[in-house]
């Protein structure tokens, strides 16, 4: 399968690239600084550019079977970078007739089926206070995705931890079965 991975220079993105390559997929990335890919640079197709540029997104996504988005925000990112990147992703996917999209968000993004525990509610409240604009960006991103005609999945990861994959994680609504943290390797899975 030919995958476009956005956010490939981040911690989850690099793990995802490694897992995709190990599974025999071909990977194309769109990155501002290809050197940040390290040794992965020679193993993937690299398009140098920015996710806020729709033309760069179109050239990156063309010919892909699916787009996997692990983008996050850096200290220099605009407050709406995820929303703009998602708008450009959807436009590029529509242009290239690519239908499958998987996007990483955080657990502050709620779903109507969630049944959070008291601890999870406290965690969401704290995330809202500490990461308000990031959460708003994820909410706006999700609105664009859910309004699209794409075959989409939004992965709402808890606090990202280090360590090897456990292959034990919760899929579905936020409830008492969901842990407080998850290794990046499991998120990439």
């Amino acid at each position: 399968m030919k995958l476009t991975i956005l956010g490939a220079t981040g911690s989850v993105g690099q793990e995802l690239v490694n897992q995709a390559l190990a599974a025999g997929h071909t990977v194309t990335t769109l990155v501002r600084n290809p050197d940040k890919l390290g040794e992965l640079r020679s193993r993937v197709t690299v398009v140098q550019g920015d996710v806020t540029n729709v033309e760069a997104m179109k050239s990156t996504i063309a010919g892909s079977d699916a787009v996997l988005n692990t983008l996050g925000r850096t200290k220099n990112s605009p407050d709406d970078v995820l929303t703009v990147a998602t708008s450009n992703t959807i436009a590029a996917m529509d242009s290239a007739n690519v239908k499958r999209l998987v996007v990483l968000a955080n657990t502050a993004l709620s779903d109507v089926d969630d049944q959070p525990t008291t601890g999870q509610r406290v965690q969401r409240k704290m995330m809202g206070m500490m990461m308000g604009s990031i959460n708003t960006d994820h909410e706006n991103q999700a609105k664009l995705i859910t309004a699209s005609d794409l075959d989409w999945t939004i992965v709402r990861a808890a606090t990202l931890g280090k360590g090897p994959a456990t292959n034990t994680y919760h899929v579905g609504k936020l409830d008492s079965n969901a842990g407080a943290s998850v290794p990046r390797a499991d998120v990439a899975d």
Side-chain angles (χ1 to χ4, degrees):
M1 183 175 273
K2 184 175 179 194
L3 304 174
T4 292
I5 298 180
L6 305 173
T9 60
S11 59
V12 175
Q14 287 191 2
E15 183 67 42
L16 181 58
V17 170
N18 276 315
Q19 288 185 26
L21 293 171
H25 301 295
T26 57
V27 175
T28 300
T29 64
L30 174 64
V31 296
R32 290 176 306 215
N33 182 352
D35 292 336
K36 287 187 175 182
L37 286 168
E39 65 88 24
L40 291 174
R41 185 176 182 177
S42 64
R43 300 173 56 207
V44 300
T45 301
V46 178
V47 177
Q48 186 169 1
D50 193 286
V51 295
T52 61
N53 180 311
V54 72
E55 294 307 316
M57 292 287 268
K58 285 181 180 179
S59 66
T60 304
I61 291 171
S64 293
D65 296 308
V67 176
L68 311 175
N69 177 343
T70 65
L71 289 169
R73 287 192 13 200
T74 64
K75 62 182 174 185
N76 297 323
S77 297
D79 283 350
D80 65 347
V81 68
L82 301 175
T83 305
V84 171
T86 300
S87 177
N88 290 343
T89 300
I90 293 169
M93 291 177 72
D94 286 345
S95 176
N97 199 31
V98 177
K99 296 297 181 193
R100 186 70 178 121
L101 174 65
V102 179
V103 175
L104 176 62
N106 64 32
T107 55
L109 184 64
S110 62
D111 183 89
V112 295
D113 292 328
D114 286 347
Q115 297 172 351
T117 64
T118 301
Q120 290 164 340
R121 283 200 270 314
V122 169
Q123 183 182 29
R124 271 189 180 165
K125 187 76 162 168
M126 289 175 57
M127 288 174 74
M129 291 186 302
M130 296 183 324
M131 303 181 347
S133 67
I134 293 172
N135 295 343
T136 299
D137 202 13
H138 275 303
E139 289 167 3
N140 292 333
Q141 176 188 46
K143 288 175 186 173
L144 291 172
I145 293 166
T146 58
S148 76
D149 292 328
L150 299 174
D151 175 15
W152 55 267
T153 299
I154 298 174
V155 177
R156 299 179 301 148
T159 302
L160 299 174
K162 294 183 180 182
T166 65
N167 298 314
T168 304
Y169 45 85
H170 178 70
V171 176
K173 64 186 175 191
L174 183 66
D175 60 17
S176 61
N177 294 312
S181 67
V182 60
R184 288 168 173 85
D186 281 337
V187 174
D189 188 44

